[in-house]
Amino acid sequence: MEMGFFSLLLFLLISLNFSRNGVLCFPEKKLLNLKDNNFQWKQSNIVGGASNCVSSHNSKSVNGATILEMKHRDHCSNKMIDWNKKLKRRLVVDDLHVKSLQSQFKTRTNINVENHKSTTQIPIISGIKLEILNYIVTIELGGKNMTVIVDTGSDLTWVQCQPCKLCYNQKDPLFNPSSSHSYHSILCNSTTCRALQSATGNSVIDLTIVNVDTRNRLALAATTWLAMAMDHTQVAKLVAALAVNGFVFGCGRNNKGLFGGASGLMGLGRSDLSLISQTDSLFKGVFSYCLPSSTEPNASGSLVMGFDSSTYKNSTPILFTKMVQNPQLPTFYFLNMTGISVGGVALSLSNSSSNNSFGKGGILIDSGTVITRLAPSVYKVVKEEFVKQFSGFPSAPGFSILDTCFNLSGYDQINLPTLKMQFDGNAAELSIDVTGVLYMVKTDASQICLALASLAYEEEIGIIGNYQQKNQRVIYDTKGSKLGFAEEICSFN
């Protein structure tokens, strides 16, 4: 009788671990330490203020590649932050950013939702001190250091300029064109200015900034020289090789938007005016980044302009997938996502869901968006499988755009189901870092949410956000029209 009972128990255990395809499958899980600085929202008190940190990041040159250090912005603050009040605002800002993107997509494509009611490496740091969850680097523009948001979803690089009619608060001094010997304005009937209209989707020209998030009128373009170096001891030897003479950028004098305390924005899109296109002779249309954990005060990563694999520290092979061309949105980076797995279980969509596609028309990869957005039908199956595997934990209320939350205040460590995205060709896969699966809302862990969100409509375009790109080397080869992923513990040193 006893042997029969254990045999039955063994049979049940084996049966419960069969996947939907009938293959024996024990869920893949990774350990997450809830008290670890790589996940916890924490802050170090560094005396001296944020302004001393903003423009003091390191840079180096390796085999012709320039490496800029990227750090978490919060390490610069000597002021304590109440995370329980700040975190919701950050997700609200991200929601506004995504709504702005979707509005642009709708305007520039035939998407119809009217029936609905609604090898230079640059240090990259997270923008927490600047009231944003985006990543920033410091560049030298016209002889002045400027801290800018890194955005692959934008084309024009711009900064706030003097004299300013309306400027939001920033940490660095405003760029003063009159103090730059290399600066000069561009006539609005020039080819460059017309390219600016095309890049921003705006036909109105005046002296106001292109504001990506609020869709203000077009900026006055200007030219000067750009140096991707941040350590003053290295500027002299780097500037000759890396200065971009005649660099075209936006000079904003009437600005408002969701840019926190940054000086402006670095556009890494695919138009002729993007930094990638303007530095083509130097870097051949290739750049990569490794985004550090956005919650580690002393975390650092890098933005590498050019391709030199010796500058990478990846722990897994680089696997490439082809970029998907979208004639209506040619300056954005789209990928063909073919599948998602949770805990090793490959998910499938119903025949009626989004044409049975995980990324209808391609999914956008964007460094300027924080939380990944999925079509409602895709998000539904991901959420259901995650909740099924991550069972036994008390639930918590939803938080802003996040609706799948847990109360983990009684735990120091948890085993999380792995989350992976598969892409077309060469087994390319994005294995999301364990710190990018959950989003800590309350510092006592009483409200922690699945860090994915649903789009409002099936017709909207999915986005892979930077929160899910942490601790990955992401390589953009614009000339080869391919994008590569490899796991890497991000560190500038």
Side-chain angles (χ1 to χ4, degrees), residues 119 192 217 242 258 261 263 274 313 324 343 352 389 416 452 462 489:
T119 337
T192 299
R217 291 179 291 177
L242 299 173
L258 310 175
S263 301
S274 75
K313 303 171 185 176
V324 176
S352 61
Q389 295 188 28
L416 273 180
L452 300 172
I489 302 300

Side-chain angles (χ1 to χ4, degrees), residues 450-481:
L450 177 63
L452 300 172
S454 174
L455 292 166
Y457 312 117
E458 292 290 341
E459 296 89 345
E460 292 182 316
I461 294 174
I463 305 173
I464 301 173
N466 61 47
Y467 198 80
Q468 280 68 48
Q469 297 178 52
K470 294 184 295 184
N471 287 330
Q472 299 280 335
R473 175 61 58 182
V474 185
I475 304 166
Y476 295 72
D477 182 349
T478 61
K479 287 193 171 180
S481 193

